[in-house]
Amino acid sequence: MVILLPAAHATANHKILLLGDSLSASYGMTQNEGWVTLLNRQLDQQNAPYNIINASISGETTAGGLSRLPGILAKQSIDALIIELGGNDGLRGFPPKLIKNNLTQMVELAHAKNIPVYVMNIRIPPNYGPRYNKMFTDVFAQVGSEKDITVLPFFMEQIAVDPSMMQNDGIHPNRTAQAKIADIMSKQLATIYHERD
């Protein structure tokens, strides 16, 4: 289920589309408990010039994001795009070249509409060995370099190392972690918009 937050934030001039997976889709909790909702509330209170439109779906892959993006861009007026995808591809052992190709196409779709893009530097557990892990991780830096876009630090790196912040599956952040992720992303967005000003 795609939940596009209404663009009824009077103080938010810029709409940031977040195309993500379960890490941003409030997996294991209600939508209102997730970090995106918490962050949007903070942004409203701060009269920030932007808010997030959350188009994240649990289980989403880069291929799924690529297939959905044109329709979202056709319906929504977007000022920036953050792609938080690739984790499910990596956990399923998808070829890094395929992941890179999907991410590249998403960037190009947004750039064709003059929309700035930010790709999150996804990490996965070392289940598939160091060779695959390195190839997977390199994909995000390669896309960033080749498309001249900013690669954002993965917000889960500060969360996954703390068992008290994780659900029992060891993959998804729990309710306690949501406020911390919101804080991490708040700082990243502030940096992004400071650079753009």
Side-chain angles (χ1 to χ4, degrees), residues 116-134:
V117 184
Y118 303 87
V119 173
M120 192 156 288
N121 188 26
I122 307 298
R123 305 282 180 154
I124 55 171
N127 299 27
Y128 294 91
R131 182 174 179 273
Y132 180 83
N133 209 289
K134 184 180 187 308

Side-chain angles (χ1 to χ4, degrees), residues 61-63 66 83 85-87 89-90 94-108 119 132 134-149:
T61 61
T62 56
L66 176 59
I83 302 173
L85 290 173
D89 301 63
F94 289 176
K97 285 184 179 179
L98 174 64
I99 301 169
K100 180 181 176 182
N101 184 53
N102 290 338
L103 289 171
T104 298
Q105 289 188 66
M106 282 187 272
V107 173
E108 291 173 348
V119 173
Y132 180 83
K134 184 180 187 308
M135 291 171 63
F136 174 86
T137 303
D138 286 349
V139 159
F140 303 93
Q142 290 167 3
V143 172
S145 176
E146 291 173 13
K147 291 297 168 183
D148 193 25
I149 61 174

Side-chain angles (χ1 to χ4, degrees), residues 57-76:
I57 296 179
S58 292
E60 186 70 294
T61 61
T62 56
L66 176 59
S67 69
R68 288 195 298 126
L69 185 57
I72 296 172
L73 294 179
K75 295 176 183 176
Q76 291 279 338

Side-chain angles (χ1 to χ4, degrees), residues 16 18 24 35 39 42-43 46 50 52 80-84 117-122 150-159 180-196:
I16 303 169
L18 174 63
S24 299
W35 72 263
L39 178 53
Q42 289 179 29
L43 295 174
Q46 297 165 1
Y50 47 82
I52 300 172
L81 169 64
I82 295 176
I83 302 173
E84 181 267 299
V117 184
Y118 303 87
V119 173
M120 192 156 288
N121 188 26
I122 307 298
T150 299
V151 179
L152 301 174
F154 188 27
F155 57 70
M156 284 300 294
E157 290 201 33
Q158 299 181 43
I159 304 297
K180 183 172 178 61
I181 297 173
D183 182 55
I184 292 169
M185 290 304 297
S186 174
K187 292 173 182 174
Q188 289 198 22
L189 294 182
T191 300
I192 287 171
Y193 274 82
H194 177 71
E195 289 173 351
R196 289 178 57 177

